[in-house]
Amino acid sequence: MTISVATPALFSSINVGQHTLHHRLVLAPLTRSRADPKTGVPSADAPLYYQQRTTEGGLLIAEATWISPTCGVYPGSPGISSQEHINGWKPVTAAVHEKKGVIFLQLWHPGRATFFPTANVAPSAIAIHTHSPFGGPYETPRVLTVDEIKSITQDFVQAAKNAMDAGFDGVEIHSANGFLLDQLSIHRYGGSIENRGRFPLEVVEAVSAAIGADRTAIRFSPYGAFQDMKDETPVATWSYLVQQLEKTHSNLAYVHFSEPRVRLFDDDDRFAPVEDDEEDDDDDAITLEPFRGLWSGPFVSAGNYTYSAQSAYDRAEKSPNNLVAVGRAFISNPDLVERFRNHWKLTPYNRNTFYSPGPEASLFFFFFDMVYD
Ligand SMILES: Cc1cc2nc3c(=O)[nH]c(=O)nc-3n(C[C@H](O)[C@H](O)[C@H](O)COP(=O)(O)O)c2cc1C
């Protein structure tokens, strides 16, 4: 007698862009600050780091990567604006493809969330009110002109083309966590929801025209408070964005949302089971459901699946088009996919290594980490 056991949704296949993935666990984009601080070329360890986290038919999203050298880059963050960067990323994409994985690159402009006053620009003259990792308060940004916004859109396009030359399977436009595309704006890019949505939508339009919609994706964090973000009407604002994407770019590779309850600094209960969101009154009003309901393609959600495989299994069962991105637990468990598949115990992460310049822990980067996630 044979007993057939149904494949859990988390380990069933799903089409993302031109790829058929074998499971729905995704490496979340994770800044590790290990690129050459002067040039932004990925470190010699990067191919190994990404290959260790690759599975056949698994999706990886490589870390936030700056699109131009003038965009106020963070020390140790990689770039994708020059031939040197393209050459530096090639061994990474080759290492992932050798194991038949799929890798997207996250394209990033920090905007006002930069530590360098000369690069501090934003759609509005509103500073971040928290302190920067290097001590002082953030400066008030210089307001971008419409021409500059157009030119940054072209930087995204060029970066996307460079990412293709470097062998990436697609790009994820970083429109989350208080960075440029997530920032509120004035003139024809500000005020109404339609105007505020214009910049990210124009970037999606331009990037997908250049490299194909099925190689283009975007990340949002509607409920994020990081870097002084707060939207009074998150459901209306991001519903509009998703509706527009569904109308004009329903063949994007995926849309990616951060879950509202990301406990990035809460280590006391790390790897404790996540409470069921639906049992928590506070969360009834803040969920990703409104956005899930508006998008017919692949939907990636990230945040707190790091604590228990069960929460990832449940999400995939509940939401048929959903993939689950894992961040912190993937740092300390390169074989996370096998651990989740087999319900093996996870190795707790070590915060001191998150942003250290090499595999070893660093106290300086522990401080950096307290400020930037
Ligand atoms: C060390 C570290 C670096 C991160 N870097 C990025 C990044 O480059 N881009 C981004 O969109 N999110 C970044 N995040 C957020 C993660 O992608 C993810 O959303 C977050 O860690 C929540 O998932 P988790 O609960 O599984 O850790 C970072 C988080 C951590 C801990």
Side-chain angles (χ1 to χ4, degrees):
M1 188 178 74
T2 50
I3 300 173
S4 65
V5 179
T7 308
L10 188 63
F11 287 96
S12 63
S13 63
I14 184 167
N15 291 334
V16 167
Q18 300 168 358
H19 307 275
T20 300
L21 302 183
H22 295 188
H23 61 80
R24 288 139 192 254
L25 281 166
V26 178
L27 173 70
L30 292 165
T31 291
R32 302 303 310 278
S33 307
R34 292 172 180 188
D36 184 304
K38 286 209 185 82
T39 62
V41 172
S43 81
D45 292 335
L48 176 63
Y49 167 80
Y50 282 105
Q51 193 179 54
Q52 284 170 335
R53 287 157 183 81
T54 304
T55 47
E56 185 171 343
L59 173 64
L60 292 84
I61 307 166
E63 66 216 77
T65 297
W66 37 273
I67 57 168
S68 78
T70 53
C71 70
V73 299
Y74 292 16
S77 284
I80 187 69
S81 68
S82 69
Q83 191 59 46
E84 212 186 344
H85 296 142
I86 295 171
N87 295 344
W89 279 112
K90 278 183 180 169
V92 172
T93 56
V96 170
H97 291 150
E98 193 184 307
K99 283 178 74 181
K100 300 193 168 70
V102 174
I103 182 163
F104 275 47
L105 182 66
Q106 192 183 51
L107 302 184
W108 175 52
H109 189 305
R112 69 176 188 167
T114 178
F115 318 128
F116 302 101
T118 50
N120 188 2
V121 292
S124 309
I126 302 170
I128 295 178
H129 290 101
T130 51
H131 277 240
S132 90
F134 297 111
Y138 285 94
E139 308 264 325
T140 302
R142 183 177 66 73
V143 177
L144 288 166
T145 64
V146 171
D147 282 350
E148 284 176 306
I149 288 178
K150 301 278 181 209
S151 150
I152 291 171
T153 303
Q154 285 316 307
D155 289 342
F156 273 101
V157 168
Q158 189 56 52
K161 289 181 180 167
N162 292 348
M164 294 300 103
D165 288 347
F168 283 97
D169 299 297
V171 298
E172 177 180 283
I173 296 160
H174 198 344
S175 188
N177 299 353
F179 296 111
L180 184 67
L181 296 183
D182 193 29
Q183 293 162 12
L184 301 185
S185 48
I186 56 166
H187 47 66
R188 68 186 287 264
Y189 290 86
S192 66
I193 288 177
E194 289 78 6
N195 281 358
R196 281 185 283 136
R198 199 183 303 279
F199 195 2
L201 291 174
E202 284 182 353
V203 173
V204 169
E205 170 68 36
V207 168
S208 52
I211 64 166
D214 56 359
R215 293 196 179 92
T216 305
I218 187 159
R219 186 177 218 206
F220 298 119
S221 55
Y223 304 109
F226 179 55
Q227 302 191 131
D228 252 6
M229 295 310 292
K230 179 162 175 58
D231 192 284
E232 299 301 330
T233 57
V235 172
T237 305
W238 276 271
S239 292
Y240 169 77
L241 280 164
V242 179
Q243 271 163 337
Q244 291 305 304
L245 293 175
E246 178 72 28
K247 215 190 291 175
T248 55
H249 293 97
S250 60
N251 55 341
L252 286 185
Y254 61 87
V255 297
H256 186 174
F257 274 82
S258 288
E259 291 280 0
R261 292 182 55 203
V262 178
R263 297 179 301 202
L264 286 172
F265 300 112
D266 186 356
D267 274 349
D268 292 340
D269 56 355
R270 74 174 103 160
F271 298 105
V274 177
E275 307 117 46
D276 187 340
D277 281 355
E278 267 126 359
E279 286 171 14
D280 188 331
D281 286 347
D282 288 348
D283 281 343
D284 284 351
I286 46 169
T287 83
L288 298 182
E289 287 313 311
F291 317 119
R292 264 193 200 97
L294 294 168
W295 181 246
S296 57
F299 187 102
V300 180
S301 46
N304 283 350
Y305 298 102
T306 233
Y307 292 95
S308 91
Q310 194 55 49
S311 61
Y313 277 92
D314 291 348
R315 170 53 59 211
E317 293 298 337
K318 238 189 247 174
S319 314
N321 297 340
N322 222 111
L323 294 97
V324 174
V326 176
R328 290 162 291 175
F330 231 134
I331 293 177
S332 51
N333 299 274
D335 57 347
L336 180 122
V337 174
E338 288 318 303
R339 294 198 191 204
F340 271 34
R341 193 197 303 273
N342 296 296
H343 298 275
W344 291 334
K345 210 166 160 246
L346 296 177
T347 301
Y349 54 78
N350 175 2
R351 209 163 254 289
N352 297 356
T353 65
F354 279 2
Y355 302 105
S356 57
E360 301 299 323
S362 141
L363 278 177
F364 170 75
F365 283 89
F366 174 71
F367 171 70
F368 186 60
D369 167 65
M370 291 307 291
V371 187
Y372 173 64
D373 254 307

